Amino acid sequence: MSALSQTQETRKHVIETAGGVVAAQHRQAAEAGAEVLRAGGDAVDAAVATSFAIGVLEPWMSGPAGGGAAVHWRADTGEAVAINFGMRSPRALKVEDYPLSGEGKASDLFPWERVVEDRNVEGAAAIAVPGTVDGIGQAHARWGKMPWAELLAPAIAHAREGMLVDWYAALLIASSARNLAKDPDAAALFLDDGIWPKGSGWTAIPDNRLDQSAMADTLETLAQGGARAFYEGDLAQALAQDVQAKGGSLSAQDLAGYHAWMGPAQAVPYRDALFHVMPGLTAGPTFAHVMQQLAESDLSSPAQAFPAYASALKTAYAERVSSMGDSGEVAKAPGCTTHFSIVDRAGNMVANTQTLLSIFGSRVVSPSTGLLMNNGIMWFDPEQGKPNSLAPNKACLMNVCPTLGQSGTRRFALGASGGRKIVSAVSQLASFLTDREMDIATAFHAPRIDVSGGTTAVADETLPPEVLNALSDVMPVQTTRRTVLPYAFACPAGVMRDGETNSGCTEIMSPWGDAVLEDQQ
C-alpha cells in the first residue's frame, strides 16, 4: 500500500480567453511565448521563443542539441503541416564500435541487448546529429512574423542569469548525479565539486543557479547568425570537435548535411472528428492505429471505454514492435522530453515535442557550446537484422506524438513527454475531447491508464472499481497514484479553441508546467 496521502488533491485552474495561450512544461518558458503573442507575434513566433527558453530552463529535457517533431495548423489556409526534426546517426558511426556485452538487457529506456560500456546509452558515442534548431528555424522561415533574434532574447536572458535550482530541479539533478559525474563538463555544470548534486536549500528561498554562460554565448551566435549557424561555421566546427574529442563520431559534415523534413501531416479520420499527426518514424502512425480501433468500439461508459483503450493500445504497440522496431518491454528509466502547445488569437496552432531522449541525454556537455548533448543512438536496436537496427546515417525512430484535432466547433493541439507512455496519454485525451466532449480542464484532470508495450496496464487508482475490474478482463492491471515524481503516466500539454475562445492546460502533477495567457499581464 502506498504511503502517499489519500485525501490530498492537486488541480490546475483553466481560464478561457479570446487571446492566445501557451501551454508548456515550464512556466517561464510559456511566459516567453506569451510575451511574443502580446507583441503581435504568430503562434510560430511564440513557438521559437518557447523552444529555446525551455531548452535553458529544462536543460535535461530538451535543447538545441536534441531533436523532435511539430505539427502546425495554419488558420488562413486550413493546412496541417508536419516538421520532423528527428536526430540521425552520424555518417562515420561504426556498428562494430557497439559490441553486445552478453550481460542481458540494457538499463535505460529500451531493453535492447546491452552494449559494452553502455556506449549507446551514455557518453559521446551515444550522440546523434541534432535536429531541433533546423526544425524550429524552418517553421520561422515559412510563417514567422517577428525577427529571429528578438525571439531568442528571452532564452539568452535566462541563460545569462542561469537556471534556478529549486527543489524540483535539485531532485532531478540528484537522480542522475552518478552518471553526470563521469563527464567533467557535465559535472561542472550540474554538480558541486564535481560530485554533489546542486541543491536548492531545503528550508530557504533557493538562490543556487547553473552557470549557463557558455550556452548564452551559443544562443547569441544563433540569434545573430540564424538557425543554420548551428550547422555551418565556427559553432558547428566547435561542437563536432568537442564530441570527437570525447570519443563520439559526430562531424561538421553531419551537421552541414542535416535538414529537417517538412510536409503534409498525416490525416486520421475518427468518427465525426479529424486528427493530424506526424507521419514516418514517429508515434503518429501508432496513434492512427489506436484511433482506428477505437472507432469500432463502444465507448459509451468508462467501464466500456477503458478496456477498449487498453485493447487498442496493446494491439497498436504489437504492430509498432513488428513493423517499426520499437521495443515491446516497459521502460526502466525516465525519458527526457518536453512538449508545448500554442494557439494564437487568429487560431493558428503549434503542437511541438522536443527531446534529448534519456534524462540528461548522453550526460555529456560540449564545453565550447555549453550544450547538454542528446543520446539519440540509444533509439536504435544494437542487434543487427531488426527493423530499427543501428547503422550510420540513419533516422532515429521517435516516440513523439504531437497531434492536432478538430471536432465540431473545437480545434485542439496536444502532445506529451514520457517516452513510450506518450501515445497512451495523447490517444486517451483525444478520445476524452471528442467521444466524451470534455473541455480541456476536465480532460486533463481525468484519470488515465498507460499501456505502452508491456504485459500490464498501469491504471490511476482513482478510477472506479467497476472500471478496474473491466480492465482486468483485458490484461493484468497495476494501480498507482499520479504523483510529482516519478511519473507513472505521460505529462501532456494542450490548448483548445472553441469558436474564438481559447484555453490550455498542462499535466496537473507537474510543478513547473503551466498555461500562460496572452491577455495575462
Side-chain angles (χ1 to χ4, degrees):
M1 180 181 294
S2 170
L4 298 173
S5 168
Q6 298 293 305
T7 57
Q8 177 176 306
E9 292 185 5
T10 302
R11 299 193 61 81
K12 289 191 173 177
H13 188 49
V14 175
I15 299 174
E16 296 184 339
T17 176
V21 180
V22 181
Q25 289 182 194
H26 197 290
R27 165 78 191 191
Q28 290 173 307
E31 179 60 42
E35 188 62 37
V36 166
L37 296 179
R38 293 173 198 138
D42 185 278
V44 170
D45 296 313
V48 175
T50 304
S51 171
F52 281 99
I54 210 162
V56 174
L57 297 164
E58 271 190 321
W60 44 78
M61 291 295 179
S62 70
V71 185
H72 294 253
W73 174 256
R74 303 307 299 172
D76 55 347
T77 62
E79 288 182 285
V81 180
I83 305 178
N84 186 326
F85 46 93
M87 295 173 261
R88 298 186 67 87
S89 56
R91 289 174 171 84
L93 179 143
K94 297 178 181 178
V95 175
E96 57 266 30
D97 289 340
Y98 302 83
L100 302 181
S101 67
E103 298 176 356
K105 302 295 184 182
S107 60
D108 217 293
L109 288 172
F110 307 109
W112 311 133
E113 291 299 314
R114 190 164 192 166
V115 169
V116 171
E117 300 172 348
D118 287 330
R119 294 174 191 169
N120 61 331
V121 175
E122 65 180 25
I127 297 171
V129 186
T132 296
V133 177
D134 191 69
I136 299 297
Q138 285 199 36
H140 179 262
R142 181 164 177 178
W143 299 298
K145 294 166 58 179
M146 293 178 62
W148 172 261
E150 288 186 25
L151 302 175
L152 270 63
I156 294 169
H158 282 300
R160 290 286 177 217
E161 183 179 31
M163 192 209 80
L164 180 68
V165 181
D166 61 12
W167 67 266
Y168 185 59
L171 275 175
L172 291 170
I173 293 171
S175 73
S176 296
R178 183 185 299 271
N179 304 91
L180 293 167
K182 297 176 183 179
D183 179 74
D185 297 297
L189 180 59
F190 295 108
L191 308 179
D192 287 331
D193 301 324
I195 302 174
W196 314 109
K198 286 188 179 295
S200 62
W202 298 101
T203 60
I205 297 173
D207 60 359
N208 198 2
R209 293 183 179 273
L210 301 183
D211 179 1
Q212 293 173 297
S213 55
M215 186 179 189
D217 292 342
T218 294
L219 295 173
E220 289 274 13
T221 299
L222 296 179
Q224 299 305 315
R228 291 305 300 178
F230 186 86
Y231 299 90
E232 301 162 5
D234 293 344
L235 179 58
Q237 291 284 346
L239 183 62
Q241 288 171 9
D242 284 351
V243 173
Q244 290 178 25
K246 295 188 178 190
S249 53
L250 179 70
S251 70
Q253 291 73 29
D254 289 322
L255 292 164
Y258 184 91
H259 295 279
W261 177 88
M262 181 186 293
Q266 178 180 341
V268 182
Y270 177 74
R271 304 186 193 271
D272 295 329
L274 179 65
F275 301 104
H276 288 97
V277 298
M278 289 296 308
L281 294 175
T282 70
T286 307
F287 172 90
H289 191 174
V290 172
M291 303 312 291
Q292 181 182 17
Q293 294 175 81
L294 292 182
E296 301 171 359
S297 303
D298 183 355
L299 308 179
S300 55
S301 73
Q304 292 167 303
F306 280 93
Y309 297 153
S311 180
L313 286 161
K314 182 179 179 181
T315 303
Y317 258 102
E319 185 217 25
R320 183 175 177 86
V321 170
S322 63
S323 65
M324 298 181 76
D326 200 351
S327 161
E329 300 289 338
V330 175
K332 298 179 182 178
C336 176
T337 304
T338 198
H339 179 87
F340 58 84
S341 295
I342 300 173
V343 58
D344 66 21
R345 190 177 291 270
N348 300 305
M349 288 186 169
V350 180
N352 187 105
T353 310
Q354 53 192 52
T355 184
L356 292 178
L357 184 49
S358 292
I359 190 166
F360 290 90
S362 61
R363 294 97 185 192
V364 168
V365 168
S366 156
S368 299
T369 66
L371 300 180
L372 184 62
M373 303 302 295
N374 70 77
N375 65 334
I377 298 304
M378 196 183 67
W379 253 315
F380 298 105
D381 190 334
E383 287 192 271
Q384 294 302 294
K386 305 288 187 68
N388 189 40
S389 291
L390 179 63
N393 194 28
K394 185 176 181 180
C396 300
L397 170 64
M398 299 188 290
N399 293 306
V400 300
C401 194
T403 301
L404 302 176
Q406 176 185 357
S407 179
T409 62
R410 307 197 302 180
R411 291 190 180 276
F412 49 86
L414 296 172
S417 65
R420 296 175 58 246
K421 298 178 175 71
I422 291 173
V423 173
S424 284
V426 175
S427 58
Q428 286 171 84
L429 289 169
S431 176
F432 292 168
L433 295 173
T434 56
D435 296 310
R436 299 168 68 180
E437 298 183 344
M438 293 182 180
D439 58 31
I440 203 160
T442 306
F444 271 64
H445 286 81
R448 303 192 306 270
I449 64 171
D450 178 71
V451 178
S452 49
T455 58
T456 301
V458 178
D460 189 318
E461 65 182 35
T462 63
L463 283 166
E466 61 270 20
V467 172
L468 297 175
N469 290 335
L471 266 174
S472 66
D473 292 336
V474 175
M475 60 194 305
V477 177
Q478 181 178 356
T479 60
T480 188
R481 290 185 68 83
R482 289 166 81 173
T483 60
V484 170
L485 201 70
Y487 290 112
F489 308 96
C491 295
V495 294
M496 174 179 283
R497 182 175 179 85
D498 190 350
E500 295 185 356
T501 300
N502 299 322
S503 57
C505 194
T506 61
E507 166 57 39
I508 61 169
M509 297 307 301
S510 169
W512 280 355
D514 224 345
V516 177
L517 311 184
E518 174 188 355
D519 295 336
Q520 188 172 315
Q521 300 296 330

